[in-house]
Every structure is written in C-alpha cells, then in structure tokens.
Amino acid sequence: MQQERATPTMKDVAREVGVALRTVSKVFNHIPVGESYRLRVLEAAERLGYQVSSYARGMKASRTHTADLVLPGLVTPSFSQLAQKVCFALARRGYRMLLSVTGSDPTSGQACIRMAQQNQVDGVIAITCNPALEVGARVLFVSIDRYFSPLIPCVSSDNFGGGQLAAERLIALSRRGTSPSASTFGSTSPAVCQISTASSAAPTAWPARC
C-alpha cells in the first residue's frame, strides 16, 4: 500500500535549499533577505508544494484573522444579503468568516458565542434575540440592532426615521392623487406591501388634496 505523502513543512524547505530555518521564516514573513536566497526559497517551496499556514501564523501572533457572524437564519433575503456583504468586507481586509445560525431558539446564541471562543476568532458580529446573552470581556463583539451595554458597539438602523420618511412619502402621493404601491418604493418586501395595502384600504386616513 502506497504511503501517504506528508505535508511539507518549513524545515523541509530549509533542507531543500540548504539554508537556516530562520532564513526561510524571514522570506515567508516578508523580512528582507538576500534576493538570491528569497528566490531559492520560493522556488523550493513551490517545488515541494509547501503552503504557509495562515491559521498557524495567526495562532502564534494570538490572531486567527477570522470573525464569526451570528444570524437568526438565512431564508430571509436581508440576512443572506448581509452575510454576503460581511463576507466580502472581511475578505478585503484579509479575514475569513465563520457563519453561525441560531434559528428560532433564543438560547442558541450563547452556544454560538462559546463556539466562537473555542475557535479563538478575533471577533463576533451578531444579530441575536437573546436579551440575557453573556459576552466575555475578552471577546470583541459588535451587535446589530440590539443594545447590550455602553461597552459593546451597536450598529442599528433608524427605524423611527425610516417610518417618518415612509409616512411623508405616502402623504405626498395622496395629495397628488397617486395610489401608492410597493413599486413606488422600489421594493416588494412584505412590510412595504402592507403599508401600500393599508393606505389603499383607508384613503380617508390621508389628508385631502389641496
């Protein structure tokens, strides 16, 4: 039976080139060395199939360049779109994204936080409905649409301001004699459809045309 080939290490690269291990380490950590040494190390690494382990490098530096995104689910389009945007934003900064889904169980958010700590992620971004969620002081945590404490950053949408803008838009349309619809707002979301349906069903609730 053919023996499985071991994954090449930095020591293998150093042995292949005939240089000290610290020289190879300098090359992969972008510390200046002689150009001839740098080229020989890179060529040997490619020949052996050596790949730098970013995870191991991160553990050594107490950073894993990984963030955990905690969401209630992915079926709702807004959540799946948010996951994609966060993933792309992290990737542009050299980070990987873990994804945790809590579902309808409010207590599962705590389990997600524990799992994130076990994986030693650099931070957690979460939408959680658990008001009793405990976040350790050593966990970099950003909450979305839920305030926990002054020590935890919270990114929140201005729902009240959005409601005001929607009401002003509907009033303006009513004064012009236009029947508002979901397409008026460029959206077919359930919330917008409910607004337009309510406004059509009760036209007397809107001010009379001037």
Side-chain angles (χ1 to χ4, degrees):
M1 184 176 180
Q2 189 176 2
Q3 193 171 20
E4 193 171 320
R5 187 179 177 182
T7 303
T9 66
M10 198 177 290
K11 288 182 179 179
D12 295 326
V13 176
R15 190 180 303 113
E16 179 77 8
V17 181
V19 297
L21 179 61
R22 63 176 175 273
T23 302
V24 178
S25 177
K26 285 181 179 180
V27 171
F28 290 113
N29 285 287
H30 307 291
I31 299 173
V33 296
E35 183 63 11
S36 62
Y37 283 114
R38 189 183 73 83
L39 292 175
R40 287 167 58 196
V41 167
L42 293 177
E43 288 170 0
E46 184 175 357
R47 188 164 57 249
L48 294 174
Y50 171 74
Q51 296 288 333
V52 177
S53 172
S54 58
Y55 184 78
R57 178 186 289 178
M59 293 293 288
K60 186 176 180 180
S62 298
R63 295 183 65 186
T64 59
H65 287 87
T66 305
D68 187 25
L69 176 64
V70 181
L71 296 175
L74 292 176
V75 177
T76 304
S78 59
F79 289 154
S80 57
Q81 290 171 11
L82 175 64
Q84 180 171 297
K85 295 289 186 182
V86 171
C87 182
F88 288 164
L90 288 171
R92 286 196 298 270
R93 292 161 177 79
Y95 279 78
R96 296 180 296 266
M97 186 185 84
L98 294 180
L99 177 62
S100 302
V101 178
T102 61
S104 58
D105 182 7
T107 62
S108 63
Q110 193 66 61
C112 291
I113 298 299
R114 284 196 298 270
M115 185 188 71
Q117 289 177 297
Q118 291 168 0
N119 284 278
Q120 299 187 31
V121 300
D122 293 338
V124 177
I125 304 168
I127 297 178
T128 173
C129 56
N130 182 5
L133 188 72
E134 295 181 5
V135 181
R138 298 174 65 180
V139 178
L140 296 178
F141 186 86
V142 175
S143 173
I144 299 179
D145 269 345
R146 180 172 290 276
Y147 176 81
F148 284 94
S149 78
L151 300 177
I152 296 178
C154 176
V155 179
S156 179
S157 55
D158 185 3
N159 295 323
F160 183 81
Q164 281 187 316
L165 291 173
E168 291 170 2
R169 177 65 170 158
L170 288 172
I171 291 172
L173 291 173
S174 177
R175 285 175 174 167
R176 295 209 312 260
T178 305
S179 178
S181 64
S183 60
T184 302
F185 298 90
S187 172
T188 56
S189 68
V192 172
C193 289
Q194 288 172 5
I195 292 174
S196 61
T197 301
S199 64
S200 300
T204 55
W206 306 102
R209 291 193 295 272
C210 297

